[in-house]
Amino acid sequence: TIREMVRRLGPQDRIELRVVGDQGGDVVQEPVSATELRHGIPSVLDRLDAAGAHASWSDANLRGSLDTAAASLVALSDNPHRVPGTRLVLLIAGAGNARSAQVATAAAHGLQLRGAVTSVFTVAAASNVDAGWWRVANAGHGNFHRVAEHGAAQAVQAELDTLSRVVARLLRINVRLGRHSNAVRILGSKILKQQEVAQVKAREKRIDAALSTSMGVNADRGDDDDGIQTVIPYFYGDDSHVLLIELWVEKPGIVADITLRYKDLVNLDNATERVSVALSA
């Protein structure tokens, strides 16, 4: 995974390697350009193996390592004119349980509030790889990859390719039902708990402010809309999303008004689309 990442990145990129351990983790490689790291990759991998052999894995150490990584990323990219999303944490999980994934999920939320994206690679040969690690990527607005023994190169390529295809951020879909329409359920989804709603709102506002600072797209996220809301962090150039809502409609008329608001990263502006659905009989 590391070898392929180094091969794909350019000289402007900076990389730091860290193994979960005491005091925020063992630093295998201080921040260095991808070009420099490429020349010394054999010795770096040897140090990585050595650090991993005596790593102290615990929930507290995992949280400490991710918090330290966040501080390092902020220090590396303190230029306010850098494009948000360039701060990327790749978490490779080869062990752990549901509790570890829960701790990492909270840390990924904190990383997102500090402007960092967290993506997760789980090793297929390891036990408990389905212990909820996808939730870490979800909280960190990143991607989740299950990596087979020989699939690391393809996973890294997919990860880096997606970052280059983002055309919109913070898509907020609001469905306002008509007076004779009632929502039964949203298929394949669930209503968020109060704490989860607060976290989504916090991440939305943080990215909104960051895009305003770095790209000049006016900040416009604050109050809720008065309907069923869904927030999608990223939209890629070839994306499509389907939201399926089951309704009970009692009479003809307006069924729903749907509004889509998003940060257009192609035209660097806020954009809004609207459509109404009605039944005549």
Side-chain angles (χ1 to χ4, degrees), residues 10-276:
Q12 77 281 5
D13 296 307
R14 298 292 182 269
I15 303 172
E16 178 178 288
L17 300 178
R18 179 181 298 276
V19 173
V20 173
D22 297 327
Q23 304 300 321
D26 297 327
V27 179
V28 176
Q29 176 62 61
E30 296 287 351
V32 66
S33 73
T35 303
E36 293 178 70
L37 187 58
R38 194 175 297 124
H39 295 302
I41 193 67
S43 62
V44 169
L45 294 179
D46 288 341
R47 295 200 302 272
L48 190 64
D49 288 338
H54 62 80
S56 177
W57 176 274
S58 71
D59 294 341
N61 291 345
L62 175 61
R63 180 61 187 258
S65 294
L66 288 172
D67 288 345
T68 306
S72 180
L73 276 173
V74 171
L76 279 171
S77 53
D78 58 359
N79 184 344
H81 299 293
R82 289 185 69 100
V83 177
T86 54
R87 302 177 184 180
L88 176 63
V89 173
L90 297 182
L91 175 62
I92 303 174
N97 50 36
R99 173 59 186 167
S100 297
Q102 184 178 0
V103 169
T105 299
H109 169 69
L111 280 161
Q112 177 58 220
L113 294 183
R114 302 180 75 173
V117 173
T118 303
S119 289
V120 180
F121 295 79
T122 58
V123 182
S127 61
N128 298 323
V129 296
D130 291 321
W133 290 104
W134 66 270
R135 298 181 187 275
V136 182
N138 185 56
H141 286 185
N143 300 298
F144 175 70
H145 308 269
R146 287 188 179 91
V147 181
E149 183 178 355
H150 302 293
Q154 294 88 335
V156 171
Q157 180 176 345
E159 173 67 25
L160 298 179
D161 284 347
T162 57
L163 291 176
S164 66
R165 293 189 291 106
V166 177
V167 295
R169 298 280 301 269
L170 295 185
L171 287 80
R172 182 193 280 193
I173 303 110
N174 184 67
V175 180
R176 185 179 182 186
L177 299 179
R179 59 184 299 184
H180 300 301
S181 299
N182 296 284
V184 177
R185 58 177 174 163
I186 302 176
L187 279 71
S189 186
K190 68 182 182 71
I191 298 175
L192 297 182
K193 297 178 181 177
Q194 187 173 359
Q195 180 183 2
E196 294 172 315
V197 170
Q199 290 177 336
V200 171
K201 288 181 182 177
R203 292 196 290 265
E204 184 181 15
K205 290 181 180 179
R206 173 62 182 81
I207 297 172
D208 186 27
L211 288 170
S212 177
T213 300
S214 65
M215 304 186 74
V217 182
N218 290 336
D220 65 346
R221 299 300 170 90
D223 298 334
D224 287 340
D225 297 321
D226 56 344
I228 301 170
Q229 295 181 62
T230 299
V231 176
I232 301 174
Y234 289 93
F235 195 89
Y236 303 111
D238 56 354
D239 257 0
S240 63
H241 294 269
V242 176
L243 303 179
L244 190 56
I245 305 176
E246 183 178 352
L247 302 177
W248 180 268
V249 183
E250 297 178 349
K251 295 181 180 180
I254 296 295
V255 174
D257 293 318
I258 302 103
T259 303
L260 169 65
R261 299 166 60 196
Y262 61 96
K263 303 288 180 176
D264 185 341
L265 299 188
V266 177
N267 297 304
L268 296 182
D269 201 358
N270 292 301
T272 302
E273 304 288 342
R274 291 184 175 88
V275 66
S276 293

